[in-house]
Amino acid sequence: MPHARSLARSLAPLLAVPLAALPARAAGPDWPDTYLSRVEAVAVVQSLNAALLASRSATATLEGWCAAHHMAETPRLAARLDRGVDKPASPETRKRLAVGPDEPLRYRRVRLACGDHVLSEADNWYVPARLTPEMNRLLETTDTPFGRAVAPLGTTRQTVGSEPLWQPLPEGWDQAAPPAPSCGRLAVPEHLFSHRAVLFTAERQPFSEVVETYTREVLDFRRAARPADPACPKP
């Protein structure tokens, strides 16, 4: 088989290229840096932000987001625990949870992922005495998201703080001419916005405070094709 041997010899240099030398996919969503994309990013981020603020469960909202945007074959959230870390609760957190300075609190830091997408990072302080033994076991030993573990409590949440961390459009954009496209890739920072919320049982007893920081991967989904910007040359 001289032809096959010749083909193998010609491909050998390519197959010998180490994987590290191959170009890697850049981190973050692959959106073009155009005015239209920035307007879309504003709308998408605000849509998710509003859905989370109106929801009883961030876990359920993120799973719905993942499913609607086809971001994973199985759109189910998993909590990737950062084990061995601790962060004392502030006096303000203890006050919102209605516990004294000596009441035991537990701290849990997780990254909430749907498939390969880490959609948010969460710092959570909770009162173990107000949960069932099974809930405490799940939170301490498994990757179950907090919202799913405590769902039998009939959880409601009250947002006590919301902070935008990225503004795709400059100040005064609605009164200025659209900027020229950069014809590159939209640079999206790692974190987009954050929420601080207190969780309550059905009897309105506070049992947890959480700080959720949402990442740029919430935008990392396949978008429908858009018309090319005439100011940008075709690749």
Side-chain angles (χ1 to χ4, degrees):
M1 301 175 64
H3 177 70
R5 286 195 294 270
S6 175
L7 179 62
R9 283 196 298 271
S10 66
L11 291 175
L14 296 176
L15 297 176
V17 175
L19 290 177
L22 297 175
R25 181 185 179 277
D30 189 11
W31 291 37
D33 189 0
T34 64
Y35 183 72
L36 176 59
S37 280
R38 287 178 175 270
V39 171
E40 286 184 295
V42 171
V44 171
V45 170
Q46 288 186 351
S47 175
L48 176 59
N49 186 43
L52 288 161
L53 290 173
S55 173
R56 288 175 173 237
S57 168
T59 298
T61 300
L62 288 179
E63 284 186 341
W65 183 266
C66 184
H69 293 86
H70 310 289
M71 299 175 75
E73 184 174 347
T74 303
R76 187 169 176 83
L77 228 58
R80 301 177 183 175
L81 272 66
D82 288 343
R83 300 186 183 277
V85 295
D86 193 20
K87 188 175 182 180
S90 69
E92 293 76 17
T93 292
R94 286 185 169 272
K95 183 177 180 180
R96 285 188 286 267
L97 294 177
V99 295
D102 299 323
E103 174 80 20
L105 293 182
R106 287 186 186 150
Y107 171 74
R108 194 178 194 240
R109 177 169 176 80
V110 301
R111 290 171 294 154
L112 294 176
C114 191
D116 295 330
H117 300 278
V118 175
L119 304 181
S120 76
E121 300 166 359
D123 294 285
N124 191 300
W125 297 267
Y126 62 97
V127 187
R130 297 175 185 172
L131 306 184
T132 67
E134 176 61 11
M135 290 174 189
N136 282 309
R137 185 193 69 79
L138 288 173
L139 294 173
E140 292 171 23
T141 64
T142 75
D143 65 354
T144 305
F146 193 87
R148 186 177 300 134
V150 302
L153 295 178
T155 308
T156 58
R157 56 186 277 148
Q158 178 181 329
T159 302
V160 295
S162 178
E163 182 182 5
L165 303 174
W166 179 49
Q167 173 52 266
L169 293 168
E171 190 75 24
W173 65 272
D174 53 339
Q175 302 176 38
S182 73
C183 301
R185 193 165 176 264
L186 182 61
V188 183
E190 185 175 359
H191 298 129
L192 305 183
F193 60 95
S194 69
H195 292 165
R196 181 183 291 268
V198 177
L199 306 185
F200 295 84
T201 66
E203 292 76 28
R204 287 299 291 175
Q205 183 181 44
F207 67 89
S208 171
E209 180 165 294
V210 61
V211 176
E212 300 154 338
T213 304
Y214 296 91
T215 78
R216 62 189 172 195
E217 293 196 38
V218 301
L219 297 176
D220 196 8
F221 54 83
R222 187 180 298 278
R223 299 159 66 238
R226 305 291 193 271
D229 194 303
C232 293
K234 293 183 178 179

